[in-house]
Amino acid sequence: MRISFLGHACFHVKSTQGEFLFDPFLSGNPMATVKPEDVTADAILVTHGHSDHLGDAVAISKRLRIPIVATFELALYCGKQGARPHAMHIGGDHNFPFGWVKLTPAWHGSSVEENGKTICTGLACGFLVRSEDKVIYFAGDTGLFGDMQLLGDMYDIDVAILPIGGNFVMGPEDAVRAAKMLRPKMVIPMHYDTFDLIKQDPKEFAQRLEALRIDCRILKPGESVEI
Ligand code: NI
Ligand code: MN
């Protein structure tokens, strides 16, 4: 399986079962290394409605005729924009051709800005995906929460993709704590350095994880890791 970082919170995953995108914020993303017109996928998993996550999801869904997997309220919104929605909700799971998907809680908001108005799009979520017998936990935008311990108990997580940028989401200290509870084989940090407000030092974060014997891979936008 190949996990590629496309900048901010956008990842492309390709396994023998298929390929999918997380949170495809590419247009207007100063860190993005690919254009939304150039990505391929069988599905798009979107954690919440904020523009740095929903991003180009609707346009990509329309172009490739692929589903946007999201919480019910956000899926409904995407459907009204002409995308193909697959509505789910927290705690629910579903087998897709590319893998098994379960929605996890995330402590965060979810809304879309449209014509100067804020439209609430329900709850934010995270994703557990099992594809090719590998388990990925994509936390989405979230603060630290104790039920990450439960996720660590229930699933043998191969890769945890965790936000470390602070201000809107966990900072590095809380993300280290999250990793302790999740006990993944590898952590990939995300959601930092895109804007001044979320500047962080991922190397220091990685050192703290390595002291706990947790492998940390810092990916620059455009870089991939094979697991
Ligand atoms: Ni957000
Ligand atoms: Mn965000």
Side-chain angles (χ1 to χ4, degrees), residues 8-9 23 48 50-53 108 140-141 168-169 191 195 198:
H8 194 56
D23 287 354
H48 63 295
H50 294 161
S51 57
D52 59 322
H53 297 265
H108 197 70
D141 276 8
F168 303 106
V169 294
H191 210 280
F195 314 107
I198 57 172

Side-chain angles (χ1 to χ4, degrees), residues 121-199:
T121 45
L123 294 169
C125 73
F127 291 104
L128 280 160
V129 182
R130 186 186 291 114
S131 187
E132 206 187 275
D133 286 328
K134 301 274 191 340
V135 177
I136 299 172
Y137 170 56
F138 185 83
D141 276 8
T142 187
L144 181 65
F145 57 90
D147 279 349
M148 286 178 178
Q149 183 77 44
L150 182 62
L151 299 179
D153 289 347
M154 287 176 72
Y155 302 100
D156 191 6
I157 299 169
D158 290 282
V159 180
I161 303 175
L162 304 176
I164 65 160
N167 194 77
F168 303 106
V169 294
M170 293 189 281
E173 199 171 319
D174 285 6
V176 168
R177 190 82 190 217
K180 273 192 202 175
M181 290 194 278
L182 294 161
R183 284 155 283 143
K185 292 187 185 77
M186 181 191 292
V187 169
I188 300 173
M190 66 165 169
H191 210 280
Y192 66 95
D193 283 3
T194 319
F195 314 107
D196 284 341
L197 197 56
I198 57 172
K199 283 257 183 260

Side-chain angles (χ1 to χ4, degrees), residues 83-146:
R84 299 190 170 199
H86 182 110
M88 293 182 68
H89 232 303
I90 291 164
D93 65 347
H94 184 75
N95 278 307
F96 292 89
F98 65 86
W100 168 88
V101 174
K102 185 175 187 180
L103 269 60
T104 63
W107 281 108
H108 197 70
S110 180
S111 61
V112 175
E113 298 297 314
E114 208 173 72
N115 306 320
K117 282 191 183 147
T118 301
I119 301 165
C120 283
T121 45
L123 294 169
C125 73
F127 291 104
L128 280 160
V129 182
R130 186 186 291 114
S131 187
E132 206 187 275
D133 286 328
K134 301 274 191 340
V135 177
I136 299 172
Y137 170 56
F138 185 83
D141 276 8
T142 187
L144 181 65
F145 57 90

Side-chain angles (χ1 to χ4, degrees), residues 15-62:
S15 79
T16 51
Q17 271 184 265
E19 54 181 323
F20 52 95
L21 284 163
F22 287 113
D23 287 354
F25 166 49
L26 298 168
S27 306
N29 175 352
M31 299 289 180
T33 54
V34 289
K35 292 193 182 120
E37 306 87 90
D38 296 331
V39 292
T40 57
D42 303 320
I44 311 162
L45 281 56
V46 181
T47 58
H48 63 295
H50 294 161
S51 57
D52 59 322
H53 297 265
L54 181 60
D56 302 290
V58 169
I60 297 168
S61 168
K62 284 182 184 173

